[in-house]
């Protein structure tokens, strides 16, 4: 059994799975139940001057019969008195000394930051997460992502915090920015111990077409919200990986964004996250998913022969490259398994209308002689290996992308340009 | 259908108290089922429908919440899609070809989804109409073939008049579909829908009795004959005539239309026959609470012409098959049916070998329907096949008389509603092509002139 214990920027927890700051970590009761279900840590719902929230608050993107592919919220920070929150944090830490409890904080003035940090320290929380990510409601008040989008301001704020406390400090970053490395380096310069990302993405979840009001509807209006859930995972993975491979960036990263399963978590770890935080999946399925997260990751690490989570951290980063360094001699071709094909021909229409016109119906001339009716065939010399057919095929494993290299040596665009065998970036060439 | 029926159903019908076989889908279930459809390219379900409804497209439109568009897609291919959704043997048509079947998964419930779209969004306004042409077509019978033909012609701009001998229009859809499949009201609503496309209907008109074929030929440029079949065929055995023995079609008609009809207390009912009408009658008897229902069939179980899925369901519901047997006599005492005397059969023919008498108190005869042979004589040049079906070209449905077309059960000898609809619609397009290439319209005012003159 792999050892799942985690040390993130000096904060220890039984495993790398933390509740992200949000509705599941809103109260002591919830956090304690989460720990009982197996969660290793929790970042408390952001503390600040309590606000009044709106109703309704959430919007969902459903895909087919799958609910909550993406979730958007216009809920703000805690709406409960700070004294109650801190009392509960103390209580949780007393009862669960080995679990990590992080206070997420968002206030405005330096005096408020100092006051808040003092109260966090008094509560015996294990660390601070500075919410520089919230992209709705709070940013209009000069907080949250308004800070995360201004690296200089972020750096100054982190510096205030670092002067005030000895607790581990995590800067939570917003993805609503062109270059994620800028605020991350600003946090590093100011002395933060770690960063966490991504916070939610600015979004409008949809429009009520009967009323012609955006969603979620509050009376006869709405506002943009923060997007999260499985749909944002690819965006989060890219940002985590981008930062993890950045030269001279040395802070640990807490990966956040659409993590629902142990596979998702493993992917974040493989691309450089030291631990992960989960919110939407818990909102959807409850704290009980921790059991599979732990069990699945543990089994995976065992299978990979990794004794600790750290063995996985960053393991896929060397393979995350610039496009120009990819091997142009790598080539895959679609192969359709005629035994398992059900004849829906979705691959044909996808290939013909959306790809490279190389998958044909069984009745078309050139088909293999013994091809069963409605089983499509691939004109392999025309197949570019795009994968689209395999993705639209409803039968798992029916279309396989088989590697057929075009040359023994690795050939990249960058080497071709360097050798004068290809045009330079931005240049026009007819060859 | 969203339209309220123009016709009123007779009061106190036995049928109105019976349950439906298939409960309609609710919006949530319809959405989930529609989303399950793979939206196949060149989908095999389309050609398996005799009217070639673009099934994946109408299902996708349900999934996107475009119910009107879904209903339009369906109706463009099949004007009687509401009844087809209920009575089609989807198990051997569209649903059988669903790619999920080959994948060992349940097929998309196409019939139910079609019904859902029809129930929620069908409206005469969905269909495009040509401006009036002044041409006129008369149609004999107001069953599925004629309704589909008339509706199609009306949308193409032609005047259409249905002549129906029954007081209630709709043909077997109205009077002959087992109640557990479709209620009479649903058929009447569909007839109303067709009439709202601009079709005229005259009920109580019987060609050859209240009006002659010649009169119709004078009134209209073209005539479509779609009267269906005649009365139930008889066994021609002793004791057959009298109370307690009914033809299947006549009996189902009573359930559906006769005010105050109730089934007498029956302990053992026997249905004679092995086709779909026999299975319908047997299943309906069971649903009406008859404790023992027997099916007497002159050949073996494998030879039954009824659909396997219907027979399996009948068996599950407790219907007992007595195969390779034929009735010799209906045994009666003081007029009341006591039982059936049965003969063993060989190759479907009764032998001298008697089987034990089968005690029963109700007998339904479902061995086919007679052909309306007399009707052809009303139209010079219209011929019959040896079986008594009207001869017509299988593509254009024109008969031996170039002014007369025919389709539906009267031509094909008795198939599904969807086949009748297909034939009626194709005949309509052939008639339309003829009209557009012919000379002056014989205006629809001919009949009015006659009345005025």
């Amino acid at each position: 059994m792999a050892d799942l214990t985690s040390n993130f920027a000096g904060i220890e927890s039984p495993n790398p799975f933390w509740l992200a700051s949000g509705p599941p970590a809103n109260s002591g009761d919830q956090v304690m139940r989460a720990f009982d279900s197996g969660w290793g840590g929790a970042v408390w719902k952001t503390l600040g001057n309590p606000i009044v929230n709106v109703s309704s608050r959430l919007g969902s993107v459903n895909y087919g019969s799958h609910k909550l592919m993406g979730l958007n919220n216009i809920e703000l920070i805690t709406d409960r008195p700070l004294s109650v929150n801190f009392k509960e944090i103390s209580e949780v830490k007393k009862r669960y000394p080995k679990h990590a409890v992080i206070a997420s904080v968002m206030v405005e003035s330096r005096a408020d930051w100092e006051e808040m940090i003092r109260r966090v320290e008094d509560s015996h929380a294990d660390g601070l997460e500075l919410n520089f990510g919230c992209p709705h409601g709070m940013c209009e008040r000069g907080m949250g992502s308004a800070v995360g989008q201004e690296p200089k301001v972020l750096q100054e704020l982190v510096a205030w915090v670092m002067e005030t406390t000895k607790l581990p400090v995590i800067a939570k970053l917003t993805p609503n920015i062109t270059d994620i490395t800028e605020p991350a380096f600003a946090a590093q310069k100011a002395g933060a111990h770690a960063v966490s990302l991504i916070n939610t993405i600015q979004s409008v979840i949809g429009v009520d077409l009967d009323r012609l009001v955006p969603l979620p509807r509050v009376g006869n209006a709405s506002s943009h919200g923060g997007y999260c859930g499985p749909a944002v995972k690819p965006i989060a993975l890219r940002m985590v990986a981008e930062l993890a491979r950045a030269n001279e960036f040395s802070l640990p990263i807490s990966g956040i964004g659409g993590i629902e399963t142990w596979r998702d978590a493993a992917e974040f770890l493989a691309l450089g996250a030291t631990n992960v935080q989960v919110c939407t999946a818990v909102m959807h399925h409850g704290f009980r998913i921790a059991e599979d997260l732990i069990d699945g990751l543990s089994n995976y690490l065992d299978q990979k022969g990794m004794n600790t989570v750290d063995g996985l951290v960053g393991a896929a980063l060397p393979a995350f490259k610039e496009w120009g360094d990819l091997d142009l001699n790598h080539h895959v071709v679609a192969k359709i398994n005629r035994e398992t094909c059900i004849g829906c021909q979705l691959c044909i229409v996808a290939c013909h209308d959306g790809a490279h016109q190389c998958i044909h119906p069984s009745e078309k001339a050139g088909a293999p002689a013994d091809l069963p009716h409605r089983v499509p065939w691939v004109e392999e010399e025309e197949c570019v290996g795009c994968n689209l057919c395999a993705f639209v095929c409803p039968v798992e494993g029916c279309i396989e992308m088989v590697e057929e290299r075009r040359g023994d040596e690795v050939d990249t665009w960058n080497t071709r340009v360097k050798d004068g065998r290809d045009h330079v970036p931005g240049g026009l060439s007819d060859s | 259908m969203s339209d309220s029926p123009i016709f009123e159903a007779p009061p106190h019908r036995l049928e109105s108290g019976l349950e439906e076989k298939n409960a309609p889908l609710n919006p949530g279930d319809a959405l989930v089922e529609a989303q399950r459809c793979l939206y196949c390219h060149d989908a095999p379900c389309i050609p398996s429908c005799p009217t070639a409804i673009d099934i994946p497209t109408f299902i996708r439109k349900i999934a996107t919440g475009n119910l009107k568009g879904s209903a339009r897609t369906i109706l463009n291919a099949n004007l009687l899609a509401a009844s087809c959704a209920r009575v089609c043997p989807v198990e051997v048509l569209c649903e059988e070809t669903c790619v999920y079947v080959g994948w060992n998964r349940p097929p998309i419930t196409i019939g139910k989804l079609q019904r859902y779209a029809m129930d929620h969004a069908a409206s005469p306004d969905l269909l495009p109409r040509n401006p009036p042409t002044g041409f006129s077509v008369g149609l004999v019978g107001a069953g599925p073939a004629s309704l589909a033909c008339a509706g199609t012609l009306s949308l193409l701009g032609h005047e259409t008049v249905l002549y129906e001998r029954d007081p209630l229009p709709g043909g077997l859809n109205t009077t002959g579909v087992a109640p557990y499949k479709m209620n009479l009201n649903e058929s009447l609503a569909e007839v109303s829908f067709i009439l709202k496309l601009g079709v005229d209907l005259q009920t109580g008109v019987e060609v050859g009795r209240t009006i002659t074929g010649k009169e119709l030929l004078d009134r209209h440029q073209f005539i479509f004959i779609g009267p269906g079949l005649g009365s139930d065929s008889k066994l021609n055995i002793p004791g057959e005539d009298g109370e307690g023995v009914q033809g299947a079609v006549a009996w189902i008609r009573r359930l559906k239309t006769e005010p105050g009809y109730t089934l007498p207390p029956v302990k053992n009912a026997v249905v004679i026959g092995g086709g779909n009408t026999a299975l319908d009658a047997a299943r309906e008897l069971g649903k009406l609470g008859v404790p023992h229902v027997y099916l007497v069939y002159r050949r073996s179980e494998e030879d039954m012409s009824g659909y396997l899925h219907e027979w399996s369901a009948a068996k599950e519901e407790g219907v007992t098959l007595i195969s390779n047997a034929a009735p010799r006599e209906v045994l009666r005492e003081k007029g009341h049916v006591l039982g059936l005397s049965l003969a063993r059969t060989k190759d479907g023919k009764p032998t001298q070998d008697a089987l034990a008498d089968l005690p029963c108190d109700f007998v339904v005869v479902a061995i086919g329907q007679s052909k309306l042979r007399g009707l052809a004589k009303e139209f010079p040049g219209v011929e019959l096949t040896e079986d008594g079906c009207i001869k017509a070209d299988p593509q254009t449905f024109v008969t031996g008389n170039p002014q007369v077309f025919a389709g539906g059960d009267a031509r094909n000898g008795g198939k599904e509603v969807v086949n009748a609809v297909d034939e009626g619609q194709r005949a309509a397009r052939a008639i339309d092509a003829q009209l557009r290439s012919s000379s002056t319209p014989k205006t629809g005012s001919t009949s009015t002139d006659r009345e005025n003159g």
Side-chain angles (χ1 to χ4, degrees), chain B residues 28-211:
Chain B
D29 289 346
L31 190 64
V32 168
E33 185 63 5
Q35 286 166 346
R36 202 168 69 86
C37 175
L38 292 174
Y39 196 39
C40 293
H41 170 65
D42 188 18
C45 52
I46 302 175
S48 74
C49 170
T51 58
I53 295 172
D54 187 346
I55 294 163
T57 296
F58 96 68
I59 293 178
R60 182 169 178 81
K61 287 179 176 181
I62 293 176
T64 69
N66 179 10
L67 276 186
K68 261 192 190 181
S70 178
R72 183 183 284 121
T73 297
I74 296 165
L75 288 168
N76 274 335
N78 183 329
L79 287 175
L80 267 61
S83 57
C84 287
R86 291 165 168 84
V87 306
C88 256
V90 291
E91 294 87 346
V92 296
L93 293 174
C94 52
E95 293 183 12
E96 189 185 43
T97 64
C98 178
V99 298
Y100 274 122
V101 174
W103 198 12
N104 300 317
R105 285 154 169 76
I108 300 297
T109 56
I110 298 168
K112 284 187 169 201
L113 286 170
Q114 179 169 314
R115 174 174 174 185
Y116 181 78
M118 287 292 101
D119 284 351
H120 289 83
S123 153
D125 309 333
L126 294 175
L127 299 165
R129 294 179 199 221
N130 285 352
T133 60
F135 292 116
S136 178
V137 179
L139 301 100
V140 180
S146 291
L147 287 168
C149 185
T152 305
L153 286 166
S154 185
L155 291 170
L156 288 166
H158 310 304
E159 183 196 81
T160 49
V161 184
L162 294 162
Y163 299 97
E164 170 60 51
R165 66 178 181 178
D166 250 33
L168 284 176
L172 283 189
N173 263 1
T174 299
T175 65
V177 174
Y180 72 88
K181 286 185 178 165
M182 182 165 72
N183 193 292
L184 165 144
N185 280 316
E186 295 173 309
S187 172
L188 293 181
E190 188 167 68
V191 175
S192 303
F193 167 84
I194 294 291
L195 298 188
K196 283 177 188 163
L197 302 177
V199 174
D200 284 331
L201 168 69
Q202 297 184 12
T203 53
V205 180
E206 186 171 355
V207 180
R209 202 170 59 81
T210 58
I211 194 168

Side-chain angles (χ1 to χ4, degrees), chain A residues 363-374:
Chain A
E363 59 270 23
K364 187 179 162 162
D370 53 347
L371 195 65
H373 178 57
R374 286 193 73 85

Side-chain angles (χ1 to χ4, degrees), chain A residues 196-218:
Chain A
S196 56
L197 68 156
I198 60 174
N199 204 309
T200 57
I201 301 168
Q202 283 186 328
S203 60
V204 172
I205 204 76
V207 176
D208 177 334
L209 288 176
D210 292 327
R211 296 183 172 89
L212 291 173
V213 175
L215 295 166
R217 188 172 64 83
V218 180

Side-chain angles (χ1 to χ4, degrees), chain A residues 25-27 44-53 75-82 85 104 116 138:
Chain A
N26 188 46
S27 67
W44 210 269
K45 173 92 174 167
T46 300
L47 304 167
N49 290 317
I51 46 79
V52 177
N53 268 309
E75 181 176 292
L76 305 184
I77 62 172
T78 185
D79 52 11
R80 306 188 313 144
L82 285 174
N85 277 301
S104 170
M116 192 64 94
M138 302 312 285

Side-chain angles (χ1 to χ4, degrees), chain A residues 1-7 12-17 269 274 294 297-303 305-313:
Chain A
M1 282 283 284
D3 175 14
L4 290 193
T5 54
S6 164
N7 184 326
E12 296 192 340
S13 57
N15 60 53
F17 303 112
L269 298 172
T274 298
I294 294 164
L297 181 66
S298 174
N299 290 338
Y300 173 75
L301 292 176
D302 289 349
Q303 181 202 322
M306 296 172 177
N307 299 326
T308 64
V309 174
D310 288 345
L312 178 59
V313 173

Side-chain angles (χ1 to χ4, degrees), chain A residues 99-217:
Chain A
H99 289 71
V101 177
I102 315 299
S104 170
V105 176
M106 184 201 292
V107 284
E108 205 177 353
S109 69
R110 180 165 191 169
D112 283 353
W113 277 103
E114 287 170 357
E115 161 74 4
M116 192 64 94
I117 287 162
R118 188 186 57 74
R119 295 179 74 174
V120 170
E121 287 177 340
D122 288 350
S123 75
H124 303 291
D126 298 291
L128 279 160
E129 185 178 80
L130 315 181
N131 183 342
F132 300 141
C134 180
H136 51 89
M138 302 312 285
C139 50
E140 289 99 316
R141 309 172 194 199
M143 293 176 277
S145 64
V147 176
Q149 287 167 336
E150 293 291 343
K152 279 181 191 161
V153 179
L154 182 147
Q155 193 173 329
E156 189 181 350
L157 273 174
V158 174
W160 293 350
V161 172
M162 301 316 294
E163 282 174 35
T164 314
T165 186
K166 294 277 178 278
L167 282 175
V169 171
I170 307 160
K172 185 166 180 178
L173 305 180
T174 177
N176 301 294
I177 189 165
T178 311
D179 180 358
I180 193 66
T181 63
E182 285 189 29
F185 275 113
Q188 180 170 283
K189 266 185 213 150
H193 300 100
V195 294
S196 56
L197 68 156
I198 60 174
N199 204 309
T200 57
I201 301 168
Q202 283 186 328
S203 60
V204 172
I205 204 76
V207 176
D208 177 334
L209 288 176
D210 292 327
R211 296 183 172 89
L212 291 173
V213 175
L215 295 166
R217 188 172 64 83

Side-chain angles (χ1 to χ4, degrees), chain A residues 122-400:
Chain A
D122 288 350
S123 75
H124 303 291
D126 298 291
L128 279 160
E129 185 178 80
L130 315 181
N131 183 342
F132 300 141
C134 180
H136 51 89
M138 302 312 285
C139 50
E140 289 99 316
R141 309 172 194 199
M143 293 176 277
S145 64
V147 176
Q149 287 167 336
E150 293 291 343
K152 279 181 191 161
V153 179
L154 182 147
Q155 193 173 329
E156 189 181 350
L157 273 174
V158 174
W160 293 350
V161 172
M162 301 316 294
E163 282 174 35
T164 314
T165 186
K166 294 277 178 278
L167 282 175
V169 171
I170 307 160
K172 185 166 180 178
L173 305 180
T174 177
N176 301 294
I177 189 165
T178 311
D179 180 358
I180 193 66
T181 63
E182 285 189 29
F185 275 113
Q188 180 170 283
K189 266 185 213 150
H193 300 100
V195 294
S196 56
L197 68 156
I198 60 174
N199 204 309
T200 57
I201 301 168
Q202 283 186 328
S203 60
V204 172
I205 204 76
V207 176
D208 177 334
L209 288 176
D210 292 327
R211 296 183 172 89
L212 291 173
V213 175
L215 295 166
R217 188 172 64 83
V218 180
N220 282 318
S222 189
S223 181
H224 80 264
Y227 195 42
C228 53
V232 311
K233 189 186 96 176
I235 297 167
L237 270 181
R238 199 282 296 184
M239 288 191 164
V240 165
E242 198 73 46
L243 193 52
R245 74 173 174 188
N247 281 336
E248 296 176 18
F249 187 77
S250 56
L251 301 184
I253 300 169
S254 185
I256 311 169
I259 296 165
E260 186 163 302
T261 69
W262 65 267
R263 287 179 168 276
D264 300 328
E267 289 171 23
F268 273 84
L269 298 172
L271 283 176
T274 298
N275 78 357
V276 295
Q277 299 183 27
V278 178
C279 177
T280 312
V282 169
M283 293 174 73
H284 193 170
H285 305 292
F287 298 127
R288 58 193 169 142
I289 63 170
E291 202 272 332
D292 182 56
L293 285 169
I294 294 164
D295 189 35
L297 181 66
S298 174
N299 290 338
Y300 173 75
L301 292 176
D302 289 349
Q303 181 202 322
K304 282 280 168 192
M306 296 172 177
N307 299 326
T308 64
V309 174
D310 288 345
L312 178 59
V313 173
L317 264 186
F320 182 49
K321 294 186 173 179
E322 297 298 337
W323 190 93
D325 289 328
L326 299 181
D327 181 8
L328 296 171
N329 278 337
H330 174 82
H331 188 65
V332 292
V333 169
K335 307 271 185 189
I336 300 171
N337 182 336
R338 58 173 73 176
E339 304 301 323
T340 57
C341 172
I342 59 170
C344 68
Q345 301 191 347
L346 291 179
C347 54
I348 293 181
V349 73
C351 186
H352 269 256
D353 294 0
H356 296 82
Q357 299 83 43
C358 68
I359 302 185
H360 307 296
S362 55
E363 59 270 23
K364 187 179 162 162
D370 53 347
L371 195 65
H373 178 57
R374 286 193 73 85
V375 171
W377 58 282
V378 181
E379 195 180 342
E380 294 190 1
E381 51 280 21
E382 294 297 320
C383 177
V384 302
C386 73
N387 291 344
L388 182 63
C389 54
F391 293 150
V392 301
C393 179
V395 182
E396 195 60 39
C398 176
I399 300 183
E400 201 185 345

